Amino acid sequence: MNNRKSSLGMSLNLVYVLIYLLPLAGSLLFLIFDYKDREIRLHALQTLYVAIAVVLVHIILGLLASIPFIGAFFSVIIWVMYILYVFVMLVGLIKALNGSILTIPFFYEMAYKGSY
């Protein structure tokens, strides 16, 4: 078990729980205060990018959901997207707690470039 701590004095496990369960606030918190730790920054950036993408897609799908007749289809897609998002965040948390990272295509590459 890794006993390494963040610059805020938190265990890495607690850091990852905050990053993956509170993606916007947790990621921003650790990007600000643990900007020198590449591992934490990689997890935080990937999670933040995914969260921002989900919000943007929700806005677009929300607009499409207001269209008569076909709007219900987009409403269902929004729910499916959020179910998948929760699943991805939980898998990411489990992998982080086990010492690895969930590599989400596109988002991982962006996070990797931003963290190194």
Side-chain angles (χ1 to χ4, degrees):
M1 190 99 198
N2 192 348
N3 292 327
R4 194 165 61 96
K5 296 198 180 285
S6 75
S7 66
L8 297 175
M10 297 180 190
S11 73
L12 281 184
N13 286 346
L14 179 57
V15 168
Y16 294 143
V17 166
L18 291 173
I19 287 173
Y20 283 96
L21 295 185
L22 303 170
L24 293 173
S27 293
L28 289 174
L29 174 75
F30 292 104
L31 284 172
I32 291 168
F33 291 108
D34 268 320
Y35 61 90
K36 291 182 181 178
D37 189 317
R38 288 182 173 167
E39 184 180 343
I40 291 174
R41 199 167 58 224
L42 181 60
H43 284 275
L45 281 172
Q46 179 175 248
T47 304
L48 183 63
Y49 293 153
V50 171
I52 290 170
V54 166
V55 169
L56 292 175
V57 170
H58 181 125
I59 291 169
I60 293 167
L61 291 176
L63 292 172
L64 293 172
S66 66
I67 299 172
F69 303 113
I70 62 169
F73 172 73
F74 293 107
S75 295
V76 170
I77 292 176
I78 291 171
W79 279 102
V80 170
M81 177 186 67
Y82 276 109
I83 291 169
L84 289 173
Y85 174 68
V86 168
F87 177 75
V88 166
M89 289 297 108
L90 290 175
V91 170
L93 175 59
I94 291 167
K95 288 188 72 90
L97 294 175
N98 288 320
S100 67
I101 187 167
L102 176 65
T103 55
I104 303 168
F106 179 70
F107 299 106
Y108 177 79
E109 286 85 15
M110 283 185 4
Y112 186 82
K113 288 177 186 174
S115 65
Y116 286 95

